[in-house]
Amino acid sequence: MKRFLLALAAATALTTAQAAIPDPPALRAASWALLDFQSGEILAQSNSDSRVEPASITKVLTTYIVFDEIKKGRVKLDDMAFISEKAWRQGIDSSESRMFLNVGSRVKVEDLLHGVITQSGNDASVALAEHVAGGEGAFADLMNQYAAKLGMKNSHFMNAPGMPDPEHYTTAHDVTLLGLALIRDFPDYYKWFSLPDFTYNGIKQGNRNIMLTMDRSVDGIKTGHTASAGYCLLSSAQRDGRRLIASVMGTESTKYRAEASLELLNWGFRFFESVKLLGADQPSGSVRVWKGLVDEVQVGTLEPIYLSLPRGAAEKVEAKPQVDGTLIAPLSQGQRIGTVNISVDGKLVKSEPLVVLQAVEGGSWWKRLIDTIRLWFA
C-alpha cells in the first residue's frame, strides 16, 4: 500500500504539468492489480487487498518453494518422488487439472514441476508437497512461512494445488508480489512457464495460459479456476527492457481473463515508464571527508532505485542527498551517512538511505591533526 501511495503521489505531482493519464481499464473482475517489476510499485488496482481464492495460482508458490529447496541443495531435479494414493486420488478427483500420474510409481521432480506449471496438475502438486515436506500439512506450513517472507501479508494457504478451503486465500496484490519474487529469484526456471505444452504418460497437454499465443511479449505466469474462485490469471510481459506483472481475479471466462489481463498490461506499458536512478555507477554527488586519505567521497546508493512514472516525467525527477553531520574517516563502503530524497516536480515521492560508495581509510597522523584544527574553525 505504501508503494502504491508513493506512486500515486508521483503521478499526482505531474498533473499540473502535463496531460492526465487515462483511467485504467474497467475490468469485469472481483479484483486486479498491475505491478512494475523493476520498481515494485503498483501502477493501478481495484480491490487489490480484498480476500480472493487463488485457485491454481497457488501452484506458483508451490513451485517457488521447490525451486528454493533445489537451490539450497535439499532437493534435486532428478530425485524420484513417490506417488502416493493421496496424490493420485487428487488427480482422479480433478478430471481437468491432472498430470495422469500412476499410484505407487516414482516420477522425477523435474517432470512433476513441468506437470504443475504447464498441465496444472493437482496430483503433481501434492506429490511435490509430500516429497519436500513429508506431507501436505507440513508443506502448507512452509507455504505460509514463505508467503510471509515474500511480503504476502493478506494470504494464507492450506494446500499445494489451490483447492477451495475457507482458510485458503490471497489477494490480487499479494500474487503480483509472488510473481515478482518468482521471476527475480529463479529466472532460469521461470522460462518453463512459457513452454507451450508437456507430455507425460503418453498424454500431451497444452499450457492453459492462452495469453502466450495472444502476445509474444507475454511469458507467463499461471491460470486458475474453480467454481467459487471464478477464472483467474497471474500474467507477466516484457517489452523494451521493461516488465509488468498483472493479476486479474474472479472473471467470467477463460477468454475474458486473458483479454482483461492483456488490456491491463497494454495500458501500463503505454502510459508509464520505469526510471533508473542512482546505483554504484551513478552517485548522487560527492561529500567532504575529514581526517582521511582523500578529501571527498562519492555518495548515493549501492543498488539502483527505480521509479514508475507517467511517460515524459523523467526530466522532472531529482535526487538530493542529505548528509547527517560531518564525515570523519575511516568510512566503510555502504556505511549509511544520511538520506537521499527523490522528488518529482518538486514533490517528495521516496526517501532512501544515503551511503558511502567507496571506503575511505584514515589519513596520516599529520593529516588528522591538520583536519582537527580545521574543524575547530569550520
Side-chain angles (χ1 to χ4, degrees), residues 23-46:
D23 289 338
L27 305 182
R28 301 190 304 275
S31 62
W32 54 265
L34 179 66
L35 179 141
D36 182 282
F37 175 79
Q38 290 175 301
S39 70
E41 295 172 0
I42 293 290
L43 304 184
Q45 60 84 34
S46 176

Side-chain angles (χ1 to χ4, degrees), residues 4-260:
F4 171 68
L5 291 175
L6 288 173
L8 182 62
T12 302
L14 297 170
T15 54
T16 59
Q18 64 185 74
I21 295 175
D23 289 338
L27 305 182
R28 301 190 304 275
S31 62
W32 54 265
L34 179 66
L35 179 141
D36 182 282
F37 175 79
Q38 290 175 301
S39 70
E41 295 172 0
I42 293 290
L43 304 184
Q45 60 84 34
S46 176
N47 301 320
S48 66
D49 289 322
S50 298
R51 285 188 183 183
V52 292
E53 293 184 42
S56 284
I57 292 177
T58 300
K59 296 181 175 91
V60 178
L61 181 56
T62 299
T63 56
Y64 182 97
I65 293 171
V66 179
F67 294 151
D68 199 46
E69 290 291 301
I70 293 170
K71 179 180 179 181
K72 292 174 179 175
R74 293 196 282 252
V75 173
K76 296 180 180 179
L77 286 174
D78 59 0
D79 281 355
M80 300 301 291
F82 178 73
I83 307 306
S84 68
E85 183 175 353
K86 180 179 180 181
W88 169 77
R89 193 166 296 284
Q90 187 70 78
I92 294 296
D93 294 341
S94 309
S95 58
E96 294 183 0
S97 299
R98 58 189 295 202
M99 188 178 166
F100 294 93
L101 299 173
N102 295 321
V103 65
S105 65
R106 290 190 177 273
V107 180
K108 278 187 179 181
V109 165
E110 183 174 358
D111 287 340
L112 291 174
L113 282 165
H114 284 295
V116 171
I117 293 168
T118 303
Q119 300 174 333
S120 198
N122 291 339
D123 46 1
S125 299
V126 175
L128 284 173
E130 293 176 340
H131 184 71
V132 168
E136 198 174 7
F139 189 79
D141 290 340
L142 273 182
M143 296 175 80
N144 291 315
Q145 292 172 25
Y146 271 83
K149 291 178 183 177
L150 297 178
M152 301 173 67
K153 298 179 180 179
N154 298 305
S155 297
H156 189 266
F157 299 92
M158 296 295 292
N159 58 77
M163 303 306 293
D165 185 290
E167 294 303 313
H168 192 97
Y169 56 81
T170 189
T171 68
H173 184 191
D174 278 3
V175 295
T176 61
L177 296 178
L178 175 58
L180 186 156
L182 173 72
I183 299 167
R184 177 196 64 210
D185 297 342
F186 303 108
D188 291 336
Y189 291 131
Y190 177 66
K191 297 173 185 177
W192 292 358
F193 286 80
S194 61
L195 295 178
D197 53 61
F198 180 66
T199 300
Y200 180 78
N201 214 3
I203 301 171
K204 181 178 179 180
Q205 297 187 67
N207 196 312
R208 295 159 188 261
N209 185 3
I210 63 173
M211 286 185 73
L212 296 172
T213 60
M214 294 170 62
D215 190 297
R216 294 180 63 182
S217 70
V218 176
D219 54 13
I221 302 176
K222 188 73 187 71
T223 62
H225 171 257
T226 64
S228 51
Y231 293 86
C232 309
L233 179 56
L234 175 62
S235 60
S236 184
Q238 189 169 25
R239 301 176 189 174
D240 300 323
R242 289 185 63 216
R243 178 179 290 282
L244 299 181
I245 299 171
S247 60
V248 177
M249 313 297 287
T251 69
E252 61 197 27
S253 68
T254 298
K255 183 172 181 288
Y256 182 72
R257 71 183 174 190
E259 292 174 345

Side-chain angles (χ1 to χ4, degrees), residues 279-281 297-303 330-337 354-361:
D281 61 344
V297 65
Q298 291 184 326
V299 298
T301 62
L302 291 177
E303 298 297 328
L331 299 169
S332 57
Q333 184 185 44
Q335 180 176 331
R336 181 169 182 174
I337 58 168
L354 181 71
V355 303
V356 175
L357 297 182
Q358 301 94 22
V360 179
E361 295 182 14

Side-chain angles (χ1 to χ4, degrees), residues 287-298 327 329 331 358-363 367 371:
V287 177
R288 178 72 164 93
V289 180
W290 301 89
K291 304 183 183 182
L293 284 179
V294 296
D295 292 331
E296 288 190 342
V297 65
Q298 291 184 326
L327 297 191
L331 299 169
Q358 301 94 22
V360 179
E361 295 182 14
K367 178 67 162 59
D371 277 0

